[in-house]
Amino acid sequence: MMESQADPRSLGSAGSFRQGNNRRSLLAKIWRLVIPPKGHRTIPTLSGYVLIFVSLAIGVAAYNTSSNILFITVSFLLSSLILSGVLSSLNFSRLTWRLIEQSPYRVNRKAFVRLEISNSKRFLTTYSLWFDMVAKLSDIKGRLPLARRLNPERNVSLEWSFVPVNRGLETISIKSIGSQFPFGFLSKMMPADEAVNVFVWPERIDYSFNPAGGSEIHFQGQTLKRKGAGEDLIGIREYRIGDPRKQINWKATARRQKLMVREMAEDKQPGYILAVDTSHQAWKREEHLEHLCRYAASLSEDLFTHNQLSATIINGDEPLMIRSMTDLEEFLNALSVVEA
């Protein structure tokens, strides 16, 4: 989970920082409206260009005819442009946002990332924002709009969906934030190059598994969390997400001031060690390596579902004991970035 907020150099974002750094003179604020900070862009829209052209035409006519009415009309048109720029800057002030991953992410399966936006202004409402989203590994871009208004001191959550096309470490980022508030004459954008990194697991495939000395078994189930801890105590370790609550050792927790759990020996039952070898000699073609990763991911999940996965090994590394869903996710994360 990543948190970010508006550029402290931009007008109006001072409310998110310490008071000693927030006090700026009115002249400095006006100067930042005239010359925006680096990366900020204000571009006229089609209606804005029309307004500018009409203002120039009326201005030329007013100069040639010395008509006060035309001069007043030009001043109203130009003031609407200036007011649009001021209000758009206030629209971005004191906004904070954060990206929250919605794991798991899997190749060719719709994935989601949640964007939480907070408006810290006390009186002003924020309108008509959009967030330009990018998934770098999959080379996917999209625009996430804030369709409704965001009232003062309120939060809102948005979801952006995409379909990953490659396994690996995916970087999901907000490239920029924009708005055409209030009149649609100007399109104001500011950079927001903040990102969250997520693992994209290999795609599931259909397969058949033939255990030694047994008949052919087909696994097509979904991944489930299976507890099945034994009664023999091995030791005490720190709590990890996914550990059963009943295994928490409260005496050790009170002594260490952090959650500790009892590590129990597994009941004796048939199990498998899944070893994955991605040596270049064996997997010279990339598509074959990808098929290996898809098969290993599918097999490991199904063995875990049937409580028959004891450990995993990748390229001769130390065995990873599979005791909980957290351990399986660690293996799938490693499998998503493995190379020949």
Side-chain angles (χ1 to χ4, degrees):
M1 181 174 64
M2 297 288 297
E3 287 197 17
S4 59
Q5 55 192 24
D7 190 339
R9 298 170 298 177
S10 64
L11 176 69
S13 63
S16 300
F17 301 88
R18 293 180 299 179
Q19 292 297 328
N21 298 327
N22 292 342
R23 304 178 185 227
R24 301 187 180 94
S25 65
L26 179 60
L27 181 61
K29 293 181 179 181
I30 296 175
W31 181 256
R32 296 202 179 274
L33 285 176
V34 177
I35 302 180
K38 184 179 179 180
H40 291 234
R41 293 184 298 165
T42 302
I43 303 173
T45 61
L46 179 60
S47 59
Y49 280 116
V50 171
L51 178 64
I52 294 173
F53 176 78
V54 172
S55 300
L56 291 175
I58 296 178
V60 172
Y63 180 79
N64 292 330
T65 61
S66 300
S67 173
N68 291 333
I69 295 178
L70 291 180
F71 277 117
I72 294 174
T73 303
V74 172
S75 65
F76 273 119
L77 293 177
L78 293 179
S79 62
S80 67
L81 277 176
I82 296 174
L83 180 61
S84 177
V86 173
L87 292 180
S88 65
S89 295
L90 294 176
N91 195 44
F92 285 101
S93 67
R94 301 189 66 179
L95 285 180
T96 58
W97 56 87
R98 60 176 178 173
L99 285 173
I100 303 176
E101 59 177 290
Q102 303 282 85
S103 57
Y105 295 85
R106 184 151 238 153
V107 174
N108 291 332
R109 181 180 295 179
K110 182 176 285 190
F112 299 89
V113 60
R114 190 163 85 248
L115 174 63
E116 290 189 354
I117 313 166
S118 176
N119 180 12
S120 301
K121 296 188 288 291
R122 297 184 61 183
F123 304 107
L124 297 179
T125 303
T126 293
Y127 299 89
S128 304
L129 293 178
W130 72 74
F131 295 81
D132 290 324
M133 310 293 295
V134 177
K136 185 176 180 180
L137 181 65
S138 301
D139 193 22
I140 297 175
K141 300 178 181 179
R143 176 163 289 185
L144 183 61
L146 177 60
R148 59 184 185 274
R149 69 182 188 180
L150 181 56
N151 291 325
E153 300 181 342
R154 291 292 185 270
N155 304 322
V156 68
S157 292
L158 304 176
E159 272 194 345
W160 182 59
S161 64
F162 69 103
V163 179
V165 297
N166 297 310
R167 69 175 177 89
L169 188 61
E170 178 68 89
T171 301
I172 306 172
S173 63
I174 307 174
K175 186 178 180 181
S176 63
I177 304 173
S179 175
Q180 293 183 3
F181 177 82
F183 307 127
F185 297 142
L186 301 175
S187 179
K188 183 175 178 61
M189 288 167 285
M190 61 178 293
D193 192 13
E194 301 293 338
V196 58
N197 296 320
V198 298
F199 290 98
V200 179
W201 296 346
E203 182 182 11
R204 281 190 61 90
I205 59 173
D206 294 331
Y207 65 94
S208 61
F209 176 52
N210 299 282
S215 59
E216 184 177 10
I217 301 175
H218 296 275
F219 296 107
Q220 300 295 338
Q222 298 294 325
T223 301
L224 298 174
K225 183 177 178 181
R226 302 295 296 270
K227 297 181 180 180
E231 298 181 356
D232 297 328
L233 178 66
I234 298 178
I236 304 294
R237 61 171 174 83
E238 292 185 16
Y239 175 84
R240 293 198 297 260
I241 296 176
D243 289 334
R245 294 183 180 180
K246 67 179 183 180
Q247 290 186 204
I248 296 178
N249 189 311
W250 295 108
K251 292 183 179 179
T253 297
R255 185 170 59 253
R256 299 285 298 275
Q257 295 299 309
K258 53 185 175 182
L259 284 176
M260 306 295 292
V261 298
R262 295 186 296 270
E263 195 168 25
M264 313 300 293
E266 295 183 356
D267 295 330
K268 293 183 179 179
Q269 56 185 345
Y272 297 92
I273 297 177
L274 180 59
V276 180
D277 178 15
T278 65
S279 60
H280 182 69
Q281 293 78 5
W283 308 98
K284 297 181 180 180
R285 300 181 61 179
E286 183 177 353
E287 56 268 25
H288 292 169
L289 177 62
E290 293 302 318
H291 189 75
L292 167 67
C293 294
R294 291 194 291 267
Y295 174 65
S298 304
L299 179 60
S300 63
E301 286 183 296
D302 292 335
L303 288 176
F304 179 79
T305 299
H306 291 78
N307 204 23
Q308 291 185 327
L309 184 61
S310 300
T312 59
I313 302 174
I314 297 180
N315 292 327
D317 292 339
E318 289 294 325
L320 172 63
M321 304 305 297
I322 306 298
R323 301 184 180 90
S324 65
M325 187 64 193
T326 302
D327 298 326
L328 178 63
E329 290 177 353
E330 184 178 346
F331 168 71
L332 293 174
N333 290 344
L335 196 63
S336 66
V337 296
V338 71
E339 297 178 354

